[in-house]
Amino acid sequence: MAKILFVVTGSDHWTLANGTEHPSGFWAEEAVVPYEAFKAAGHEITVATPGGVVPTVDRASLAPEFNGGQEGAERIAKGLESFTELQGPVSIEDVDLDEYDAVYVPGGHGPMEDLSADAASGALLTRALRSGKPLAVVCHGPSALLAARNPDGTSPFAGYQLTAFTNVEETQGGFADRAKWLLQDRLVEMGADFQEGEPWAPFVIVDRNLFTGQNPASSAPLASEVLKALG
């Protein structure tokens, strides 16, 4: 049995370019699907958030149109209810990485608000990368990589092949022209070797111990790759 740390946004909104707060949080499918896969394999899950706040689900992620219909939406909602660890998170600041075998970061627009600039989260992900343990990040979750810094100010993730929610997907989702910044642009600026798959289709990149998925549909294959790495 492995212990897997979920690093989850603590924000319930995403501030747009015009200053308005768009209700957000973590994306349900990206939390529930890997959670179920990891639990089915017998692994233990701990959730960590900034300050240990109970995370907020993005209500949009529970809508039928984002879950392949009503049946899919009900399945994700039921899975979310079973994910009881979300109700008792630890504080990212208090995490001892030595206690965990892998780290996983789900997306949603929430991480764009807090994890993208959270020093404690950035330091944790830097340690996870250097530890050689699987570090898996999906969709908007890679915004958390932006807070990771080497002592000289460069990114520890520079030069890594990775993927994340793309500019095309953000545009098709209706947010590109409303965002303060776009995740793909920032990841390229930090020196990542950004890889882009077809919009909304599953796409996973593995580079050394960094596992990244492009979008919600990538969360299941991403979890499978992590399980393979854990043996």
Side-chain angles (χ1 to χ4, degrees):
M1 182 190 75
K3 293 183 71 174
I4 302 174
L5 181 73
F6 275 51
V7 176
V8 182
T9 177
S11 182
D12 62 1
H13 67 277
W14 175 40
T15 305
L16 302 176
N18 66 2
T20 60
E21 293 185 355
H22 175 72
S24 188
F26 68 88
W27 199 258
E29 179 181 358
E30 296 165 20
V32 169
V33 170
Y35 172 80
E36 291 177 340
F38 297 152
K39 291 288 276 192
H43 301 314
E44 182 180 330
I45 307 298
T46 297
V47 173
T49 62
V53 301
V54 174
T56 298
V57 65
D58 188 320
R59 302 305 302 180
S61 69
L62 299 174
E65 57 265 35
F66 292 119
N67 292 286
Q70 185 61 35
E71 186 177 327
E74 290 173 0
R75 192 188 72 75
I76 290 294
K78 187 175 179 182
L80 196 61
E81 289 176 10
S82 300
F83 194 163
T84 54
E85 291 90 342
L86 286 167
Q87 302 308 311
V90 300
S91 174
I92 290 173
E93 294 84 350
D94 297 335
V95 168
D96 178 0
L97 186 65
D98 291 341
E99 296 179 3
Y100 299 96
D101 302 291
V103 176
Y104 173 73
V105 187
H109 279 117
M112 301 271 281
E113 185 73 21
D114 61 354
L115 297 183
S116 64
D118 189 286
S121 173
L124 176 65
L125 298 188
T126 299
R127 291 197 302 274
L129 186 71
R130 290 177 176 154
S131 74
K133 298 173 182 180
L135 170 58
V137 198
V138 70
C139 200
H140 289 93
S143 58
L145 307 185
L146 300 174
R149 285 286 178 269
N150 292 317
D152 63 1
T154 60
S155 171
F157 295 94
Y160 275 77
Q161 281 197 352
L162 54 76
T163 190
F165 202 67
T166 64
N167 290 353
V168 171
E169 288 166 321
E170 204 73 85
T171 299
Q172 292 179 357
F175 283 107
D177 59 352
R178 301 163 64 190
K180 288 182 179 179
W181 47 270
L182 297 176
L183 179 53
Q184 179 177 343
D185 291 348
R186 284 287 178 91
L187 292 170
V188 170
E189 287 168 11
M190 93 180 179
D193 180 3
F194 194 92
Q195 305 291 308
E196 185 171 353
E198 289 297 315
W200 313 106
F203 186 66
V204 171
I205 293 287
V206 180
D207 186 352
R208 289 156 277 185
N209 63 314
L210 179 64
F211 300 69
T212 52
Q214 180 172 310
N215 45 37
S218 305
S219 54
L222 183 66
S224 295
E225 290 293 336
V226 173
L227 287 172
K228 278 190 226 169
L230 290 171

